Amino acid sequence: MKRVAIFTSGEGKCAVRLVPLFNEGDKIHIDLVVTGRSDNRLIEQMIQKGVNALFLPRAVWQVNPDEVIKLLSDNEIDILALDDFDGELPEKIKEIYSGRIVRLTSPEMAPGELEAAVTQKDSVAVEAPVIPDIPKSVDEEWAETLKIKFDSKQASQTPPPIPGVTPQPQYASQQQRYANQQQAAPSQQSYNGGTQPYNPVIHSDPMPSTYLIWAILSTVLCCTIPGIVAIVFASQVSSKYYGGDVEGAKKASRNAEIWIIVSFVLGVLSSTLYLPIMLMSNL
């Protein structure tokens, strides 16, 4: 059985989709869900379903990746799945889990993407899903493809055909949907090659520097308020870049740099003026 950890920066829609679908089987099991949102209801949902879930601040990822690596090691994680995960993983984590990282694109595609990742890890070819003769619910189709148990009471079935109307258009659209999934598979299967995980947004310009570490250091060592503002802008760089807003990412990077400088200057001024003031107050 392959143990999977899911990292998410959003609502964790793929995680909600995958846990009930896979955790009843004996091939893939979602053991850990890590979210970067402290107010996320996902943690409570996952704990109710028997999955270890926790909040981990983004600063921990950048400053102390060893803590994340220890968490993955303690849970014996085989594969990392990124569910609406902003930014990039630290290089140390990517190096350790090289070839074992898959980026989930949507709740609908996530079961096939995770199954393809695991199957490619163990074998060369991925068996194509069999198109059923009678249209079924999406959950039932995935259950048959992944060869796991399926409870028909937990999913709504496709409405029966209208008398006198041929079901051919519905069957054809279903056939086209499977064909589109297979055509898209090569671009989503960089997983096994140890290259960058699949990312639907591609830019010709490199991502601007986030200055996140400098922002954190300026907050701790210099002036707190400008440092916090710098952290806010620094955290926006990767999300804007991977969301397609390259100009917005560059602007956020420049703003982060400006506020880091402001924090540093105010920290130096406050330190310079502190000693004379204290000496005068003692006279």
Side-chain angles (χ1 to χ4, degrees):
M1 177 180 291
K2 297 297 180 183
R3 300 182 181 277
V4 179
I6 298 179
F7 295 160
T8 178
S9 304
E11 298 178 4
K13 293 181 180 180
C14 292
V16 173
R17 166 80 165 162
L18 292 174
V19 168
L21 192 59
F22 282 107
N23 282 18
E24 295 298 325
D26 57 358
K27 186 175 182 180
I28 302 173
H29 194 274
I30 314 299
D31 281 61
L32 177 66
V33 175
V34 180
T35 174
R37 294 173 55 179
S38 59
D39 59 342
N40 202 321
R41 298 180 182 177
L42 179 64
I43 296 177
E44 182 179 349
Q45 288 180 281
M46 292 296 101
I47 292 177
Q48 290 177 351
K49 294 179 180 180
V51 178
N52 184 17
L54 70 155
F55 161 66
L56 197 63
R58 178 54 60 91
V60 175
W61 295 86
Q62 302 296 334
V63 178
N64 190 13
D66 289 335
E67 182 175 337
V68 181
I69 294 171
K70 183 178 184 302
L71 176 65
L72 297 174
S73 177
D74 291 344
N75 286 270
E76 300 180 349
I77 298 302
D78 299 305
I79 294 174
L80 303 184
L82 308 183
D83 174 11
D84 192 19
F85 184 78
D86 293 339
E88 287 290 330
L89 291 172
E91 290 298 329
K92 192 169 184 179
I93 296 178
K94 290 195 293 186
E95 180 180 350
I96 294 176
Y97 282 87
S98 175
R100 295 185 290 160
I101 301 173
V102 57
R103 187 176 293 275
L104 307 176
T105 56
S106 68
E108 293 74 23
M109 296 294 293
E113 291 167 338
L114 187 56
E115 170 70 7
V118 173
T119 305
Q120 288 180 358
K121 181 68 177 176
D122 295 333
S123 61
V124 176
V126 179
E127 182 180 356
V130 179
I131 301 177
D133 294 331
I134 301 175
K136 299 178 181 180
S137 69
V138 175
D139 286 343
E140 188 172 3
E141 291 171 0
W142 277 118
E144 290 183 356
T145 302
L146 306 178
K147 298 179 182 180
I148 60 179
K149 294 180 181 180
F150 174 77
D151 187 357
S152 59
K153 296 179 181 179
Q154 296 181 358
S156 58
Q157 297 292 326
T158 304
I162 301 174
V165 178
T166 175
Q168 183 62 29
Q170 184 176 5
Y171 179 82
S173 63
Q174 185 184 52
Q175 218 172 19
Q176 183 63 39
R177 175 159 53 86
Y178 277 117
N180 292 339
Q181 292 176 3
Q182 294 305 307
Q183 291 175 0
S187 64
Q188 300 162 1
Q189 293 173 0
S190 59
Y191 160 84
N192 194 40
T195 59
Q196 290 291 335
Y198 170 76
N199 194 325
V201 180
I202 300 176
H203 305 294
S204 58
D205 297 334
M207 186 178 73
S209 176
T210 63
Y211 298 107
L212 182 59
I213 295 178
W214 288 106
I216 295 173
L217 292 177
S218 67
T219 303
V220 176
L221 303 177
C222 299
C223 191
T224 302
I225 296 178
I228 293 174
V229 176
I231 290 176
V232 172
F233 282 115
S235 63
Q236 293 176 355
V237 175
S238 58
S239 60
K240 288 181 180 292
Y241 179 80
Y242 289 104
D245 186 5
V246 179
E247 291 302 321
K250 292 180 179 179
K251 183 177 180 181
S253 178
R254 289 193 298 270
N255 288 337
E257 183 178 9
I258 291 171
W259 282 100
I260 290 170
I261 295 172
V262 171
S263 177
F264 176 77
V265 171
L266 291 178
V268 171
L269 289 176
S270 61
S271 299
T272 304
L273 296 176
Y274 177 76
L275 183 59
I277 293 175
M278 292 298 297
L279 292 174
M280 292 177 64
S281 63
N282 291 331
L283 296 177

